[in-house]
Amino acid sequence: MNRMSLATSIGLVAGFATALSAQTVPSDYGKVEQKTIQNITVKVTGCIADPSVLSPLPAVIQEPVLQPQRILDSSPFGAEGSAPFSLGHDLSKYREFQLGATMLAVAMQVGLKPSEATVIPARPAIHELDWQPPRVVQASSEAGSVREMVFTFYNDQLFKIVITYDHERTEGLADQDLVEAISAQYGTATRPVGRVVTSPLSQGYDDTESIIARWADSQYSLNLFQSSSRTFGMVVLSKQLDAHARAAITEAIRLGKHDAPQRTVERQKKEREETRVAQEKAKVLNKSRFRP
């Protein structure tokens, strides 16, 4: 017997039972009525005992039990065992300056012209903007803490900032004082043993200083240092772009050495031609006005 037949049988039984219970019959017929009810009961029991009817029932009973699990899985915290997402500290930005910004955008921020940038021969070219905040600054302004900032761009993307803090604004402060102040913005610092390049790339050589503290992730790095003159500073950089820029400079130096002999020949040739032209002009002028 299938489910539909079972439902039909149960419905009929319920109907008969209701009709019989509503009738008023003499007590002499009590046995007959009881027998009829027993016959109906036997038939119902036989239907329920049929294994073909019982086998699907557990799935129907279990369906509501699974529903709460689906509700739990749709929780904003994700599936069981997963941790909620947490935001980290943004190491790609120093004050209002965003690593990856164009040279024009940064130049406008500090009131400089892109044409004022120093060009470092490379492919692509590397540019540096040297900015010193105006000295007319309120004593309480945090901008007064900075004496100089050098912005370096690779492929028109800001990848490095070298900050030099004003000695007067850091006088009396210990290393830990600056670490605590910077950690409030960028999170917990590490104390690696190493050095960081603090000189602009345009100088052609690397000045390095010992790192006091570092804040870093997989993409960016902020390095606090103190120079030999006891001046504090910070180097902020994009690791990937910094690697590309240094590779470009290394290649430019290699090509420069390779092409140096040819450039020397071309320069000498140009100088000889300029000398010849100058002598021709002088000859024409002097020949006409010479008097023995």
Side-chain angles (χ1 to χ4, degrees):
M1 182 180 292
N2 55 28
R3 290 187 179 184
M4 185 170 293
S5 298
L6 174 61
T8 303
S9 300
I10 294 174
L12 290 173
V13 172
F16 282 129
T18 303
L20 289 172
S21 62
Q23 292 178 353
T24 303
V25 295
S27 58
D28 292 341
Y29 296 94
K31 294 182 179 180
V32 176
E33 291 173 344
Q34 181 65 32
K35 181 178 180 181
T36 303
I37 295 171
Q38 288 175 353
N39 289 340
I40 293 172
T41 303
V42 169
K43 290 181 179 180
V44 173
T45 304
C47 293
I48 294 175
D50 188 348
S52 64
V53 177
L54 287 176
S55 56
L57 290 179
V60 177
I61 296 172
Q62 291 176 6
E63 184 68 20
V65 178
L66 295 175
Q67 187 64 26
Q69 182 62 39
R70 288 196 295 269
I71 294 174
L72 289 175
D73 291 343
S74 62
S75 166
F77 296 101
E80 183 180 358
S82 62
F85 177 74
S86 60
L87 295 175
H89 298 275
D90 185 4
L91 303 183
S92 69
K93 193 172 185 179
Y94 177 79
R95 296 193 179 183
E96 69 271 28
F97 303 105
Q98 179 71 53
L99 293 176
T102 65
M103 182 168 63
L104 176 60
V106 175
M108 292 178 64
Q109 284 181 276
V110 298
L112 296 176
K113 298 177 180 179
S115 58
E116 298 180 63
T118 300
V119 181
I120 303 172
R123 300 177 185 178
I126 296 173
H127 297 81
E128 285 181 349
L129 277 174
D130 191 335
W131 176 62
Q132 297 181 7
R135 299 307 300 171
V136 183
V137 179
Q138 295 293 335
S140 59
S141 172
E142 71 170 5
S145 301
V146 174
R147 188 184 71 193
E148 181 182 24
M149 299 178 72
V150 179
F151 305 93
T152 311
F153 303 83
Y154 170 79
N155 199 22
D156 198 28
Q157 297 179 80
L158 176 63
F159 75 91
K160 184 177 182 180
I161 311 172
V162 178
I163 304 106
T164 303
Y165 293 112
D166 193 309
H167 180 70
E168 293 182 0
R169 297 297 296 270
T170 59
E171 187 174 6
L173 298 180
D175 296 357
Q176 187 60 28
D177 296 324
L178 271 76
V179 171
E180 290 177 357
I182 299 171
S183 294
Q185 176 70 28
Y186 295 107
T188 305
T190 59
R191 298 296 185 97
V193 177
R195 303 182 70 85
V196 62
V197 177
T198 58
S199 58
L201 295 176
S202 58
Q203 290 186 0
Y205 56 87
D206 292 341
D207 284 336
T208 63
E209 299 292 350
S210 297
I211 298 171
I212 297 174
R214 172 178 287 165
W215 297 260
D217 58 19
S218 60
Q219 300 181 66
Y220 307 105
S221 176
L222 291 80
N223 303 271
L224 177 66
F225 67 90
Q226 187 176 31
S227 68
S228 56
S229 60
R230 305 298 296 171
T231 299
F232 287 102
M234 178 98 82
V235 176
V236 181
L237 58 85
S238 164
K239 296 179 180 180
Q240 184 178 32
L241 291 178
D242 181 64
H244 289 329
R246 293 196 172 276
I249 292 175
T250 300
E251 179 64 10
I253 294 173
R254 186 190 69 80
L255 292 175
K257 292 179 178 179
H258 179 270
D259 298 337
Q262 181 63 29
R263 288 202 307 272
T264 300
V265 171
E266 292 176 355
R267 186 183 69 254
Q268 292 173 346
K269 182 179 179 180
K270 182 180 179 181
E271 290 174 352
R272 288 195 297 268
E273 181 61 18
E274 290 174 349
T275 300
R276 186 190 67 78
V277 171
Q279 288 178 344
E280 287 291 336
K281 291 180 178 179
K283 177 180 178 180
V284 173
L285 178 63
N286 292 332
K287 186 175 182 180
S288 61
R289 65 185 182 182
F290 176 74
R291 294 293 182 269

